Amino acid sequence: MKSKFMHVAVGVIVAVLAAATIGSGADKDTLVVGVSSDVHTLDPAVSSDNYDWRQIYPAYDRLMKYKVVNGEGSTEVEPMAAESYTVSPDSLEWTVKIRQGITFDDGTPLDAKAVKFSFDRVLKIGKGPADNLGAIKTVDVVDDHTVKITLKSPFGPFLQTLATDAASIVNPNVITHEKNGDLAQGWLAQNMDGSGPFKMTEWSRGERFVLAARDTYWGPKPKLKRVIVRFMRESSDQRMALENGDIDIAEGILIDQIPALEKNPNVVVRRYPSQLVEYVYLNCEKPKLQNKLVRQALNHAVDYQGIISHVLRGNGVQMRGPVPKGMWGHKPDVLQYQRDPAKAKALLKQAGMEKLDLTLIYSERRPSWEQIAAILQSNFADIGVNLKLELMANPTLREKIDRGDFELCLGAWSPDYADPSMFMNFWFDSKNFGLPGNRSRYASTQVDELIRKSLSLSDVKARTELYHQAQAIIMDDAPYIFLYQTQTMVPMRKAVQGYVFNPMLESMYNFEAISKE
Amino acid sequence: MQILSYVLKRLLYLVPVLLGVTLLVFVISHAIPGDPARMMAGQKASHEAVENLRRSMGLDRPLPEQYAAYLFGLLRGDLGFSIRNQRPVIEDLRDFFPATLELSLASMLLCVGVGLPLGIVSAVRRNRPVDHASRVFSVFGVSMPVFWLGLMLLLLFYRTLGWLPGSGRLDIHIDPPAQATGLYLIDTLLEGSLAKFGDALLHLLMPAFCLSYVYLAIITRIVRSSMISVMGLDFITTARANGISEAAIVLKHCLKNSLIPTVTITGLSIGELLGGAILTETIFNWPGMGKYVVDSVNFLDFPALMGFTLVVALAYVLINLAVDVLYAFLDPQVRY
């Protein structure tokens, strides 16, 4: 009897395991992307996180979109749901004609009312994304397909902000899901109601997020039928899955695993110049760092090339000025600090600070920081500066940056929209002290005037000139140590075609144009 | 009846324990420097946007008021609102807890199913090759870092041999079963899909083994040593002299008497496993409480942390109560 039972049990187990699918392999209609972070909220009026935007962005239309030039991503924008636009001579009133025939899933048209509802909603909710649309004073419906947007003051990068995630156009009918006056935030945190090329079909928390191509999409039809975003925190896990062909793109593979990965003939690691920069804030309010000679000395102490070759394994370039290469407003001839310990020592001597004790704070948010901190400590020791390193939790670090409670701090920054103001005005305007941008607490009346004036103009040439003047002053004042501009690496299976990287859309994908061979 | 009143008394103790836990977590999470409103708003958000958010989240109210509001909500079964996920904590727990529970139960099954027989065999065949092998196996289990073991298992069985699937609870291309219990092994069967059940089972093997190995090793060693000490007692010699078979002596007399320490350690282990097998969940990309709580800490999401701690504390207390009750059944000398 017992033996009969055992036979049946073994038979059932074998049958079950045989029925199970191991490595069922991806089909050509489905793209699987391995990512390191789960999604938190799907509401474009709430999320300030690229990892959320990765899912939100393809599910909504916006008035403007980033151009693709010769198969490459660009920072310029062109109409998307907008058909055309005009601007008043004082650059305050923007009249936008909206393309006809775009509808949401329930048949509601994407029209002037929908645009007004979406923008008003973002501004009324007033969370992070509201800052991207912060230039807007009012949105008025002129007719069904025309909207007039009035700005508080002229704002050069206004069109660029219309291509950000914050400017996603939401079906106004979501208001039926409103609870306690939350403008449907509770519902939109977990659901989507847009008109973009993809729509959400499943979100299993901590596991995967599935998007399906929208059959009724008004624009070019997506080549993929389904996109599965698979949450995989571990770099080695992503690497194994990519090599085994279980995922098609892996975005969280650590730099030290890239050389080994590149030996796999089925995998290609694509590299793109990114707008993500890493730098050190020198708190200009701290007595030891108030003298610009000290800040210049610290800038001269750093072994920039050593950091790039050792920490980034060559996948980056030293920054030249605050505006990165690839962004208009970059000044290719501005002063670039180089390692020169003798000069650094002389500057310290001139400042009367030959022996100096400083503290650098950083967190584990980026894997590179631990190594950079150690290199900086050694570099500073060469010029007689004793650098104490303090590692702390990221929320604590942010709190300290916001309060200015630090001497030196490691940081990273990437722009939300394609405009040098994302660097120049955020980092240097003395009204912007703290975490939102001016983390060095740098104040210069001259620089304030130049960058504020530039922001109010729409003529790119005039704006560039003003930003260039400001950059020359800033580099001499040295409120930051500009380390490097990174290179984004996207490892993927060779079968993946049509991927276009856009430096404005880090960790986001043009799913609508991607296909698999 | 006596045992019933004991259980009721223990359940009443739960109230001050859980209150203490909420107070402790509340105080600690607010003592950490950091601003949840800023974390939520994003680092580039203006101070005005952060202030708006702080007001709307009720974080501008005095701390005692916030704590009182939390407790009041708790009485109504409301565990608060997750700052990071922007939804009620109870919904988060409903999504993440079953994954951890399934993994923990599978691990315990392995611990007891393998650890117990291995301990018995080791004790009975003391100082023979099988005992040496079992001891080596146990030493490995206690000393091997989970992180390393998990990676090696994946490298060998998934990447190199291709015998077992990689990380996660199901194959990437398989749609999860409709959530009835949240335990995939049960939900897939309820859905009537044998293929999904098999896939879920295969996905469970490596993480469950990885998680159980340490406890399995401990249980093996404890069973072995307590069996050996019982086997040397006079009543066993008497039983042998009475001609009772060796199997009956081992399984009936020795095992029953050596089970108490095993039950204790098993109970404690379940509590620990439920508390979040953070490393195992990270390596095997298991969407459970361990990952959830790490993310919550990084985001200063204290309602989520409090909800998690409450659930774990509750599970711990209840499991320990069950263990205490079990003592009375295993050992007639134990009375409440």
Side-chain angles (χ1 to χ4, degrees), chain A residues 118-162:
Chain A
S118 303
F119 289 7
D120 284 353
R121 184 174 175 273
V122 171
L123 294 169
K124 217 166 163 185
I125 288 173
K127 292 185 178 169
D131 290 329
N132 281 349
L133 301 183
I136 298 176
K137 188 174 158 197
T138 54
V139 183
D140 297 299
V141 174
V142 177
D143 62 43
D144 279 358
H145 288 91
T146 312
V147 72
K148 186 177 84 181
I149 304 170
T150 310
L151 304 185
K152 291 171 190 160
S153 54
F155 187 62
F158 174 62
L159 280 180
Q160 261 77 12
T161 64
L162 296 182

Side-chain angles (χ1 to χ4, degrees), chain A residues 13 15-17 19-27 30 32 38-41 46-49 125-129 131 185-186 189-190 202-208 210 226 228 230-234 236-237 239-247 264 281 365 393-399 402-403 412-416 422 426 432-437 439, chain B residues 32-36 38-50 52-54 56-57 81 84-88 91-92 95-96 99 147 150-151 154-156 158-160 162-176 184 194-203 205 282-287 290-292 294-295 297-300:
Chain A
I13 291 172
V16 165
L17 298 187
T21 48
I22 301 176
S24 59
D27 58 75
T30 304
V32 186
D38 199 346
V39 185
H40 302 134
T41 171
V46 175
S47 176
S48 298
D49 190 338
I125 288 173
K127 292 185 178 169
D131 290 329
Q185 283 180 72
Q190 304 182 55
E202 180 204 317
W203 177 11
S204 301
R205 304 237 173 194
E207 287 181 71
R208 64 179 203 165
V210 184
R226 212 157 81 120
I228 300 174
R230 168 88 159 184
F231 310 122
M232 313 170 87
R233 177 180 297 219
E234 263 301 290
S236 47
D237 185 22
R239 182 181 154 193
M240 282 189 265
L242 183 69
E243 295 205 66
N244 271 17
D246 284 339
I247 61 175
N264 185 321
Y281 328 136
R365 186 169 156 255
N394 203 42
T396 311
L397 185 90
R398 287 189 174 188
E399 174 89 357
D402 209 28
R403 289 205 316 262
W413 184 272
S414 67
D416 289 347
M422 281 293 326
F426 275 78
N432 210 19
F433 274 11
L435 196 64
R439 297 170 181 178
Chain B
I32 303 169
D35 181 358
R38 165 60 71 187
M39 293 300 288
M40 183 62 224
Q43 47 178 341
K44 288 171 198 155
S46 63
H47 292 294
E48 196 192 349
V50 176
N52 282 340
L53 196 59
R54 184 173 292 120
S56 73
M57 289 160 69
F81 198 77
R84 187 172 64 101
N85 290 339
Q86 292 284 296
R87 65 174 189 160
E91 288 182 19
D92 277 349
D95 278 348
F96 293 106
F147 202 82
L151 282 178
L154 276 171
L155 192 64
L156 181 66
Y158 168 58
R159 175 76 187 107
T160 312
W163 292 355
L164 287 173
S167 64
R169 293 181 81 186
L170 271 182
D171 185 89
I172 291 167
H173 295 270
I174 295 182
D175 295 338
Y184 277 8
L194 212 58
K196 278 191 192 179
F197 174 79
D199 193 70
L201 187 64
L202 288 174
H203 273 84
L205 286 180
T282 304
I283 301 160
F284 289 98
N285 197 30
W286 198 263
K291 272 175 80 177
Y292 177 68
V294 169
D295 288 342
V297 171
N298 286 336
F299 212 85
L300 285 186

Side-chain angles (χ1 to χ4, degrees), chain A residues 211-258:
Chain A
L211 291 158
R214 194 186 299 274
D215 298 333
T216 55
Y217 189 57
W218 59 274
K221 297 272 178 284
K223 290 169 187 152
L224 296 165
K225 285 193 179 139
R226 212 157 81 120
V227 174
I228 300 174
V229 179
R230 168 88 159 184
F231 310 122
M232 313 170 87
R233 177 180 297 219
E234 263 301 290
S235 165
S236 47
D237 185 22
Q238 287 197 22
R239 182 181 154 193
M240 282 189 265
L242 183 69
E243 295 205 66
N244 271 17
D246 284 339
I247 61 175
D248 300 302
I249 299 177
E251 73 161 34
I253 295 184
L254 293 176
I255 243 174
D256 57 352
Q257 297 191 17
I258 296 287

Side-chain angles (χ1 to χ4, degrees), chain B residues 89-108:
Chain B
V89 170
I90 193 101
E91 288 182 19
D92 277 349
L93 295 182
R94 202 186 55 209
D95 278 348
F96 293 106
F97 186 67
T100 297
L101 185 65
E102 188 168 49
L103 182 59
S104 306
L105 291 179
S107 304
M108 279 332 293

Side-chain angles (χ1 to χ4, degrees), chain A residues 7-19:
Chain A
H7 279 120
V8 172
V10 169
V12 168
I13 291 172
V14 170
V16 165
L17 298 187

Side-chain angles (χ1 to χ4, degrees), chain A residues 159-220:
Chain A
L159 280 180
Q160 261 77 12
T161 64
L162 296 182
T164 59
D165 191 79
S168 297
I169 303 165
V170 178
N171 185 345
N173 284 342
V174 296
I175 207 67
T176 54
H177 299 287
E178 184 174 46
K179 271 187 190 159
N180 304 323
D182 73 343
L183 292 171
Q185 283 180 72
W187 190 81
L188 272 177
Q190 304 182 55
N191 298 279
M192 291 176 159
D193 200 347
S195 55
F198 284 86
K199 59 181 172 187
M200 161 189 173
T201 56
E202 180 204 317
W203 177 11
S204 301
R205 304 237 173 194
E207 287 181 71
R208 64 179 203 165
F209 192 101
V210 184
L211 291 158
R214 194 186 299 274
D215 298 333
T216 55
Y217 189 57
W218 59 274

Side-chain angles (χ1 to χ4, degrees), chain A residues 243-285:
Chain A
E243 295 205 66
N244 271 17
D246 284 339
I247 61 175
D248 300 302
I249 299 177
E251 73 161 34
I253 295 184
L254 293 176
I255 243 174
D256 57 352
Q257 297 191 17
I258 296 287
L261 187 63
E262 283 186 305
K263 289 184 185 144
N264 185 321
N266 298 315
V267 172
V268 57
V269 179
R270 301 195 195 281
R271 291 176 163 80
Y272 305 93
S274 134
Q275 296 283 309
L276 176 75
V277 299
E278 303 214 6
Y279 57 139
V280 183
Y281 328 136
L282 307 175
N283 191 338
C284 301
E285 282 185 338

